[in-house]
Every structure is written in C-alpha cells, then in structure tokens.
Amino acid sequence: QVQLVESGGGLVQPGGSLRLSCAASGSIFSLYNMGWYRQAPGNQRELVATIASGGSTNYADSVKGRFTISRDNAKKTVYLQMNSLKPEDTAVYYCNAVHILTARVYWGQGTQVTVSS
C-alpha cells in the first residue's frame, strides 16, 4: 500500500507558475508509475501528466510545453512544475500511483490550484 499527499497548490495570476509535490509513503516508490490528474467543478477528472517507473513521460495536449512532471525516487516524491498558467488550469490536482506489477491504483486527496486575476 502507499499513501499520497499533495502540496503546493494555491492562487496565482495568469502567466504565473506553481510547483506541485506529491509525497509517497508506506511502500516502495520505484515500483509505481506516477501521474497527475485534475478535476474542475462540473467536469470529469482528467489526465494531466504521467511518469513511468523508468522515467518516460506523457502529457495532455492542453499542458504540453507548459507543464513538466518529474520524480525523485530517493525522496519518494513526484513533482509537477506548472508554468504559463491559464484560468482554464484551475482545478483540484490529484496525485496518482499505479503499481507496475499489480496495477493497483492509489489516489491522493488533492490540492487546489486557482488561476485568476
């Protein structure tokens, strides 16, 4: 099992930047593919970015060139660097972990990101 705790959300102006962190505990971090998802009010939860245990990354078209996902296995943490933020990026951002062998899925509680002037 793994527990995920997100942090780093907040209120920023359009064009600003934030870095989200997801700290994992309770399991072997290197055995998980990691991801960030987001959900705005009235919308479905959607994929933002993923990073596999081996380091390969994948991004939603809406954030390509603006967001960067990374991981530090020693710190058991995954990051989402968000630049050039837009109002449509406003959402609750959730950290996700998928065990590479069992495919079991875990979620954090989310952190609010609000982009507004």
Side-chain angles (χ1 to χ4, degrees), residues 1-65:
Q1 61 180 5
V2 61
Q3 294 79 47
L4 305 173
V5 180
E6 302 96 334
S7 63
L11 174 65
V12 296
Q13 293 185 334
S17 297
L18 283 174
R19 188 178 75 160
L20 306 183
S21 298
C22 173
S25 63
S27 193
I28 303 175
F29 186 70
S30 61
L31 294 179
Y32 292 85
N33 294 329
M34 304 297 297
W36 287 97
Y37 291 70
R38 67 187 182 187
Q39 187 169 22
N43 292 340
Q44 267 195 275
R45 189 172 298 187
E46 65 178 359
L47 171 71
V48 176
T50 61
I51 182 165
S53 62
S56 61
T57 58
N58 185 46
Y59 297 91
D61 288 342
S62 59
V63 306
K64 285 180 180 176

